[in-house]
Amino acid sequence: MDKKSWYRKIPKVDVLLETEEIQTAIEKWGKVPALDAIRRELEDIRNMIERRWEEGELLEALEHLPERIVERTRKLCSANLRPVINGTGTILHTNLGRSPIHPEAAEQAMKIVSSYSNLEYNLQNGNRGERYAHFEELLCRITGAEAAMAVNNNAAAVLLILSALGRGGETIVSRGELVEIGGKFRIPDVMEQSGSVLREVGCTNKTHYEDYEEAVNEETRLILKVHTSNYKIVGFAESVPAKELARLAAQTGIPLVEDLGSGVFVNLEEYGLPHEPTVQEAIKNGADLVCFSGDKLLGGPQAGIIVGKNIYIDQLKKHPLTRALRIDKYAAAVLEQCFLEYLNEERAVKHIPVLRMLTEPYEEVRKRAEYLEELLIKAGFPAKITLCDCMSQAGGGSFPAEEIPSCGVAIFPKEISVTVLEERLRQLPTPVIGRMFNESFLLDARTITEEQIPEIVTEIKQEQILNKTDGREA
Ligand SMILES: *Cc1c(COP(=O)(O)O)cnc(C)c1O
């Protein structure tokens, strides 16, 4: 057929609008998105004609036009951001929203944001209040600090500290701590943004106390210690403990700032994990300011938390950047809930999802893996299903070299390749993300909840994704 005849086959917009499928779509989502979808689908067909697609394919595209328009309308009108099931075994998965929040905390926060609240209103005296006031005292009680505040994220916290206290002078940092932590956050670049001059000391592998001591001059505004959370230098390496730097800070009157990255309140060594410096320790060791993320090992919302001495926190609170970097009300509400959990450490470790996953014994994870294995086998999918020991990771730049013994289920599909399986699982209504492992697709049970297990199996069944042609293609 020539081009002209093909063009004549394209249905008119009015005709399409009258079809039953599209009428239903209009009732559900409205005429504007439906018209938009029609125009876009017709544009696709015209492109196919111009590019001389095969006759069979063109005919099929024309035949399924109304369904494709409905699907496109649905997509235009539904949110793209949605929950996913994390079967990767990486607990703090930066691409998957880092730390999941405890449902009760999220619920309480939802109540607050869907109503008016005392976010910046002091109920005692009826005056304007601070948005950190709700959790400042609590945070001081947990960490032992004099004062506290929170901003949008830890990157913002570092920028604020350097801008407010380091601008117009030098900030001393060890060459071994000039880290990049992904997402283009590099200490030297943040330093430049802040207007503080970076004064590098020591070498990549070794920095001594004297290196810091010799670098101090009239221009020095800050001593910054950065927790190198996402890599490890092994071998001939040395850095100066914060405690010693605190001594130098006290002698010279220059504030010591510690960027802990992934702040924790719980001594994880007690749960069989390697030592990760806690915020309490950093304060006790004499840091003047300590900053850390809300959504790494703390297990809360995205936030940058700053604790430390009154005189410095006061300066930060007054700085103009604070208004631009401030924490939003949803995060503030979740954060307060999260801190409340920490008043009882035992409860925190059970309640806060990140801590629960991190500290859960292998035997418990294995039980969940067995449950998933059992349901998958029962469903009779065309695949070999086996239990599989594996290694989980903390992720999010914490415990860089550490792996946690875990257990999962390996799926060996019989009718499709592992690559196709991975792609289809990713496109489920509730996407399931896992990893390829020795010719199989592996789901690590450490990061999957018990409730999600039947959900995974039902989704695979409904969409027939282990079959040669899946539910949507058939
Ligand atoms: C993760 C991290 C940051 C940035 O924290 P965000 O909350 O992601 O902005 C800053 N410094 C260090 C050392 C980190 O590990």
Side-chain angles (χ1 to χ4, degrees):
M1 241 191 297
D2 60 7
K3 265 204 228 168
K4 259 196 190 145
S5 324
W6 277 117
Y7 272 108
R8 273 199 293 275
K9 277 187 170 295
I10 301 179
K12 296 265 171 306
V13 175
D14 297 345
V15 176
L16 284 168
L17 277 174
E18 290 309 312
T19 58
E20 205 183 312
E21 292 103 316
I22 295 173
Q23 277 297 316
T24 316
I26 290 173
E27 262 167 50
K28 205 160 166 186
W29 295 295
K31 194 164 174 178
V32 174
L35 269 172
D36 190 12
I38 291 176
R39 293 208 179 96
R40 291 189 204 198
E41 284 297 332
L42 292 183
E43 184 65 32
D44 283 356
I45 299 270
R46 279 183 219 111
N47 281 333
M48 285 163 84
I49 297 172
E50 286 302 321
R51 294 205 196 102
R52 304 192 176 283
W53 276 43
E54 260 182 47
E55 196 169 314
E57 285 176 311
L58 265 170
L59 280 174
E60 183 163 324
L62 280 167
E63 191 186 334
H64 293 293
L65 197 52
E67 291 114 273
R68 289 182 27 183
I69 290 167
V70 172
E71 180 56 19
R72 195 149 194 163
T73 315
R74 188 190 62 78
K75 272 203 181 137
L76 280 172
C77 295
S78 42
N80 191 50
L81 190 57
R82 71 193 86 165
V84 308
I85 293 171
N86 176 11
T88 64
T90 300
I91 296 165
L92 294 166
H93 199 301
T94 300
N95 302 141
L96 303 182
R98 268 200 200 153
S99 92
I101 287 159
H102 186 256
E104 277 167 39
E107 217 170 280
Q108 174 66 16
M110 187 58 78
K111 264 191 218 155
I112 290 162
V113 296
S114 54
S115 157
Y116 292 109
S117 66
N118 60 336
L119 182 69
E120 289 188 348
Y121 185 68
N122 185 324
L123 292 170
Q124 256 83 52
N125 58 23
N127 293 333
R128 197 199 148 109
E130 276 177 346
R131 50 180 69 204
Y132 347 95
H134 311 289
F135 51 76
E136 183 169 3
E137 210 184 300
L138 190 56
L139 197 44
C140 291
R141 192 146 24 112
I142 298 169
T143 63
E146 287 175 14
M149 67 183 290
V151 287
N152 180 59
N153 59 7
N154 193 31
V158 176
L159 177 65
L160 175 63
I161 294 170
L162 293 177
S163 305
L165 306 172
R167 197 182 190 88
E170 294 177 1
T171 296
I172 303 177
V173 191
S174 155
R175 288 200 171 87
E177 297 173 4
L178 293 173
V179 296
E180 168 176 319
I181 47 180
K184 295 274 169 350
F185 181 89
R186 293 172 148 190
I187 293 292
D189 297 344
V190 181
M191 193 77 72
E192 204 177 311
Q193 275 298 317
S194 73
S196 188
V197 177
L198 171 63
R199 180 64 193 264
E200 300 173 32
V201 296
C203 293
T204 307
N205 57 334
K206 279 201 176 197
T207 305
H208 305 281
Y209 182 84
E210 297 75 41
D211 297 323
Y212 284 94
E213 204 175 26
E214 283 160 18
V216 173
N217 61 47
E218 302 89 78
E219 299 302 316
T220 313
R221 297 282 181 280
L222 290 174
I223 301 169
L224 174 65
K225 184 158 179 67
V226 183
H227 189 56
T228 54
S229 41
N230 55 358
Y231 73 99
K232 208 172 185 169
I233 299 178
V234 287
F236 192 62
E238 200 177 309
S239 64
V240 184
K243 209 170 179 167
E244 285 178 37
L245 288 181
R247 186 156 51 93
L248 180 62
Q251 274 168 15
T252 55
I254 298 163
L256 169 67
V257 176
E258 210 172 340
D259 173 9
L260 274 186
S262 184
V264 267
F265 293 157
V266 175
N267 180 3
L268 290 170
E269 255 175 325
E270 287 171 19
Y271 299 88
L273 289 154
H275 181 77
E276 177 84 359
T278 62
V279 180
Q280 294 92 315
E281 260 174 67
I283 291 291
K284 208 162 134 207
N285 285 338
D288 296 286
L289 285 175
V290 180
C291 64
F292 50 98
S293 282
D295 59 352
K296 287 186 182 169
L297 287 175
L298 203 69
Q302 179 192 305
I305 301 150
I306 311 171
V307 297
K309 303 237 163 91
N310 261 322
I311 44 161
Y312 302 119
I313 297 277
D314 272 349
Q315 287 179 55
L316 298 182
K317 283 181 179 171
K318 286 186 196 125
H319 194 272
L321 255 183
T322 300
R323 177 61 178 76
L325 303 175
R326 74 181 183 183
I327 188 164
D328 80 286
K329 60 183 171 180
Y330 190 84
V334 179
L335 209 49
E336 186 183 15
Q337 289 294 317
C338 179
F339 294 149
L340 284 168
E341 294 282 349
Y342 278 103
L343 289 177
N344 178 344
E345 185 181 307
E346 238 173 89
R347 201 180 62 175
V349 172
K350 285 203 191 93
H351 263 197
I352 294 178
V354 167
L355 291 184
R356 191 187 59 227
M357 290 187 263
L358 206 57
T359 59
E360 189 175 45
Y362 166 86
E363 293 73 30
E364 295 296 314
V365 180
R366 189 183 167 101
K367 275 187 209 155
R368 266 200 318 282
E370 283 168 349
Y371 178 36
L372 177 60
E373 181 202 20
E374 186 197 321
L375 292 194
L376 283 169
I377 290 175
K378 258 195 200 152
F381 296 127
K384 191 178 101 188
I385 314 284
T386 61
L387 213 62
C388 180
D389 279 341
C390 57
M391 289 289 184
S392 309
Q393 287 186 322
S398 1
F399 306 122
E402 207 56 38
E403 292 197 309
I404 309 160
S406 187
C407 189
V409 171
I411 306 174
F412 298 83
K414 288 185 179 150
E415 296 182 2
I416 55 172
S417 67
V418 178
T419 322
V420 169
L421 176 61
E422 185 271 338
E423 207 179 294
R424 287 181 182 176
L425 284 166
R426 212 175 343 112
Q427 282 158 19
L428 285 171
T430 303
V432 178
I433 317 292
R435 59 186 147 121
M436 316 243 218
F437 180 72
N438 290 347
E439 315 286 307
S440 79
F441 189 79
L442 179 71
L443 292 172
D444 184 335
R446 185 173 291 277
T447 46
I448 299 174
T449 64
E450 180 138 5
E451 301 81 65
Q452 286 171 338
I453 289 172
E455 199 182 333
I456 295 171
V457 181
T458 309
E459 279 202 300
I460 294 179
K461 203 180 284 177
Q462 271 169 1
E463 309 280 333
Q464 297 166 32
I465 62 165
L466 278 161
N467 298 57
K468 196 159 176 141
T469 48
D470 69 5
R472 276 157 304 178
E473 284 166 47

